Amino acid sequence: MAYLARRTGQALIVLAIAFTATFVMLQALPGDAILIRFESPELGLSPEQIADIRAAYGADVPPLQQYLHTLIGFLQGDFGTSVQYGTPVRELIGSALPDTLPLAGLGFLVAVVLAVALAFLSTLAPFGWLRRVLRALPSVFVSVPVFWLGIVLIQVFSFQLRLVPVIGADPVQALILPVLTLAIPISAPLAQILARSIDEVQLSPFVAVVRAKGAGPARVLWRDVARNALLPAITIAGVLIGELIGGAVVTETVFGRAGIGRITEQAVANQDVAVLQAIVILAALVFVLVNLAVDLVYPILDPRLKRKAVAA
Amino acid sequence: MSAPVDIPVRADAAAPPVGIAVLPALDGSVPSTAAAAAAAGPAARAARRLRSVPPGLVLAWLVIAVVIAWALVPWLFTAQDPVSGVPAEKLQGPSLAHLFGTDAIGRDLFTRVVYGAVHSLSGAFVAVTVGLAGGTLLGVLAGSIGGVVDAVVMRLVDVLLAIPGLLLALSIIILLGFGTVNAAIAVGVGSIAAFARVSRSEVVRVRQADFVEAAFGSGGRLSAVLVRHVLPNSLTAVIGLAALQFGAAILAISTLGFLGYGAPPPTPEWGLLIAEGRNYVATSWWLTVLPGLVVVAVVLSANRISQSLGRTR
């Protein structure tokens, strides 16, 4: 119970610092988004009109007041107003989320399947050379730029093999290549961790005992090795989710999909600070929540840890 | 029957040469045969060490050496101009005259990749320097002072880790503006957390060593002991991480360049090259595939080298 309270407190502190840091960085420093947007001579706005607009966005009050105002807004789920679109950030993100969730969800799923397949095949496949090739694949995957991977997949599958149409694809077809683009780099660190922990578990004494008792390779693998080897992989779930968000920005840009990633890219291009801050804080929130969940679930999955925690 | 025959043969043939070679060497007066062996020693040892180096690692160093040479003396590798092209030769496929083909306004792509090396490498260098300096400073402070400083620094590191790398870089770019150096700094800030964590744990590990305690016991001040004893012994892990971050920085900088937040055109930065080639994917595959392969080769090599540095620890 004390552990739960401490971890939750830590998570809240991280979020509070993240919020304060992004606020200081993005809002209190020069490069005021409102000035950039409305001060251009083409609009022909008088200084008084600009002052009115600033007042409407709440940008004319002292920084501390702005900070409290923004903080209370965030706590109530109000992320301010996008300077670029003139709509509330919450609506903007809400309308983009349905486009990104299937991409991110499927990308994560495919990444996990790919990583598990790679990890197990690289310890089980026949022929040493094949195992070595499979072992080397993840380090190639992490070295590939996501945007380039997307372009190459379009080239191969759309233009060379003509398997996936570029124009007039139905929603499912339009998801295939982006999901692959997102999944391949994310599967790499997972596959590496899995392969390493499979190696470790296979050398541990209890596996030798199970083998000595006459268990076949399939039983040893699925009942004894797999269950123990999959555990450490859960610990990097938070990091993978973060990678997923970064990957979505690039993937959506390459494939011209509307979504959170696209909004992020547009926000940076137009210095739409409120939008970027909301997305950064939401990403940090997801990361913190996932890690908190992992920390709480792990002792349940692995009772050895619970006993250790109690002993300590 | 065979065993009694074996023993005398072995004693006769093997014993005398060993006796001659080893005994004089032991008492210090080195005869000519032993001198020859000693002289061959370092060379043989070097050859043995060279043979034990995996070929992949040699290839990785070779790739990095070539790319560094591209960055330093690009004109030695290509006679053509990276910025102005020959319009008549536009969009040609790879050939002997144009190894990587030509782009939409007839510029030689290989030349642009060679001249682009300096942007990607110096960007990655700036990024790693920012991360290394900032991260090591934070990590060493946290690890050596401990207490409140440690807690504050590690919470900061937690925050940096909680924000996905690309979003963190974008937040800094929105602050600093677009450009090669700004993109590099943004990527570097993203790696501060990793450097801080590794250097902190190394400092904490080394601080418990006996010789550090001895240095304190013989009257060493904190700063002096840190500089003379703790830092040098914490360095190996940090250097391994720097090599790893170098590859990651090249990837991240090319991503920012691709999104249009890095160097402005017509700079031949690698990410920007691929972004420009994107409009011709249907007809001219080489414009995107070949520069991308160069990026993959460099990042793969940096990662391989960092792995070997980590292992020697």
Side-chain angles (χ1 to χ4, degrees):
Chain A
M1 209 49 221
Y3 173 73
L4 179 69
R6 200 164 44 99
R7 282 295 291 120
T8 316
Q10 264 177 5
L12 284 177
I13 290 173
V14 165
L15 281 179
I17 301 178
F19 175 79
T20 311
T22 50
F23 180 85
V24 170
M25 267 177 47
L26 298 177
Q27 304 221 310
L29 283 160
D32 188 324
I34 297 164
L35 290 183
I36 290 164
R37 172 82 161 74
F38 294 104
E39 224 176 23
S40 70
E42 297 148 42
L43 291 168
L45 294 171
S46 66
E48 292 79 43
Q49 283 170 310
I50 292 177
D52 282 348
I53 294 170
R54 286 176 65 85
Y57 279 107
D60 60 337
V61 295
L64 188 65
Q65 208 175 328
Q66 263 191 61
Y67 173 77
L68 290 175
H69 182 256
T70 319
L71 179 61
I72 292 165
F74 265 72
L75 291 178
Q76 292 169 342
D78 171 17
F79 304 132
T81 309
S82 158
V83 174
Q84 181 197 353
Y85 297 101
T87 50
V89 174
R90 184 165 54 164
E91 276 175 32
L92 205 61
I93 291 178
S95 68
L97 214 50
D99 290 299
T100 302
L101 280 184
L103 175 66
L106 280 175
F108 190 67
L109 206 67
V110 172
V112 170
V113 171
L114 201 62
V116 171
L118 262 180
F120 279 97
L121 283 179
S122 67
T123 48
L124 295 174
F127 316 119
W129 63 267
L130 186 59
R131 281 196 297 273
R132 272 196 296 279
V133 168
L134 289 169
R135 267 289 144 109
L137 264 186
S139 49
V140 175
F141 286 175
V142 283
S143 307
V144 171
V146 180
F147 61 93
W148 181 72
L149 180 66
I151 295 173
V152 169
L153 287 177
I154 294 176
Q155 253 167 12
V156 172
F157 289 101
S158 294
F159 289 111
Q160 300 296 320
L161 304 176
R162 302 192 176 281
L163 289 176
V164 185
V166 187
I167 304 155
D170 61 55
V172 177
Q173 283 177 322
L175 264 177
I176 299 174
L177 294 184
V179 163
L180 272 181
T181 306
L182 198 52
I184 288 178
I186 291 174
S187 70
L190 194 57
Q192 281 170 330
I193 287 198
L194 273 176
R196 213 174 302 145
S197 78
I198 290 175
D199 284 349
E200 261 168 39
V201 175
Q202 265 185 333
L203 290 177
S204 59
F206 80 89
V207 170
V209 171
V210 172
R211 276 215 190 94
K213 283 184 165 178
R219 197 206 112 105
V220 171
L221 180 71
W222 295 115
R223 258 195 66 85
D224 303 304
V225 175
R227 283 175 53 178
N228 285 290
L230 287 175
L231 273 175
I234 300 175
T235 54
I236 61 162
V239 177
L240 291 184
I241 301 280
E243 296 266 304
L244 208 58
I245 296 170
V249 175
V250 176
T251 309
E252 285 178 357
T253 309
V254 170
F255 288 91
R257 294 174 59 88
I260 298 286
R262 199 64 184 293
I263 289 180
T264 313
E265 193 249 323
Q266 294 284 313
V268 176
N270 297 300
Q271 295 217 299
D272 201 342
V273 168
V275 176
L276 189 65
Q277 191 191 8
I279 290 171
V280 167
I281 295 300
L282 284 179
L285 177 70
V286 171
F287 177 87
V288 165
L289 285 181
V290 168
N291 270 354
L292 194 59
V294 167
D295 280 356
L296 297 181
V297 166
Y298 206 96
I300 299 173
L301 294 178
D302 191 345
R304 284 171 300 182
L305 281 180
K306 208 189 295 177
R307 236 174 288 140
K308 231 177 270 170
V310 169
Chain B
M1 271 306 284
S2 66
V5 182
D6 243 18
I7 293 163
V9 168
R10 209 191 283 148
D12 280 349
V18 169
I20 292 168
V22 172
L23 288 178
L26 279 178
D27 66 55
S29 58
V30 184
S32 61
T33 46
R45 221 177 302 135
R48 214 177 312 125
R49 199 178 300 157
L50 210 63
R51 235 176 294 132
S52 72
V53 170
L57 187 58
V58 175
L59 192 65
W61 277 108
L62 212 62
V63 167
I64 296 294
V66 166
V67 175
I68 289 177
W70 283 1
L72 294 178
V73 282
W75 49 87
L76 287 186
F77 293 87
T78 166
Q80 297 169 65
D81 191 283
V83 179
S84 65
V86 184
E89 296 181 354
K90 67 171 185 176
L91 294 178
Q92 289 182 353
S95 64
L96 274 182
H98 302 290
L99 282 178
F100 284 12
T102 59
D103 70 2
I105 53 173
R107 291 177 294 201
D108 179 61
L109 188 62
F110 179 71
T111 306
R112 284 176 69 68
V113 170
V114 168
Y115 276 88
V118 70
H119 299 280
S120 298
L121 287 197
S122 59
F125 186 74
V126 169
V128 171
T129 309
V130 168
L132 185 75
T136 315
L137 184 70
L138 285 178
V140 170
L141 279 181
S144 53
I145 300 176
V148 182
V149 177
D150 190 18
V152 170
V153 168
M154 288 335 277
R155 283 296 87 71
L156 268 180
V157 167
D158 282 349
V159 171
L160 285 175
L161 287 175
I163 301 171
L166 186 62
L167 289 187
L168 188 60
L170 291 181
S171 311
I172 289 161
I173 281 179
I174 214 174
L175 189 74
L176 299 177
F178 300 170
T180 321
V181 178
N182 291 348
I185 293 173
V187 170
V189 172
S191 66
I192 284 181
F195 278 109
R197 286 232 298 206
V198 167
S199 56
R200 174 184 175 274
S201 70
E202 281 296 295
V203 166
V204 168
R205 183 182 64 85
V206 175
R207 270 199 71 160
Q208 290 165 347
D210 290 341
F211 66 88
V212 173
E213 216 166 290
F216 275 122
S218 52
R221 277 174 299 114
L222 177 66
S223 57
V225 175
L226 269 184
V227 173
R228 266 193 71 90
H229 301 288
V230 178
L231 282 187
N233 285 294
S234 316
L235 223 56
T236 332
V238 176
I239 289 172
L241 180 66
L244 185 70
Q245 292 293 337
F246 189 80
I250 285 182
L251 265 189
I253 286 170
S254 73
T255 303
L256 293 175
F258 172 82
L259 292 172
Y261 305 138
T267 317
E269 194 273 324
W270 291 344
L272 194 61
L273 276 184
I274 296 171
E276 286 169 352
R278 211 175 127 200
N279 299 329
Y280 305 93
V281 278
T283 52
S284 313
W285 57 269
W286 56 90
L287 287 180
T288 45
V289 171
L290 296 180
L293 284 178
V294 172
V295 176
V296 173
V298 173
V299 177
L300 207 54
S301 303
N303 290 353
R304 181 69 189 80
I305 290 170
S306 104
Q307 199 190 344
S308 75
L309 290 177
R311 193 168 296 159
T312 52
R313 221 176 341 138

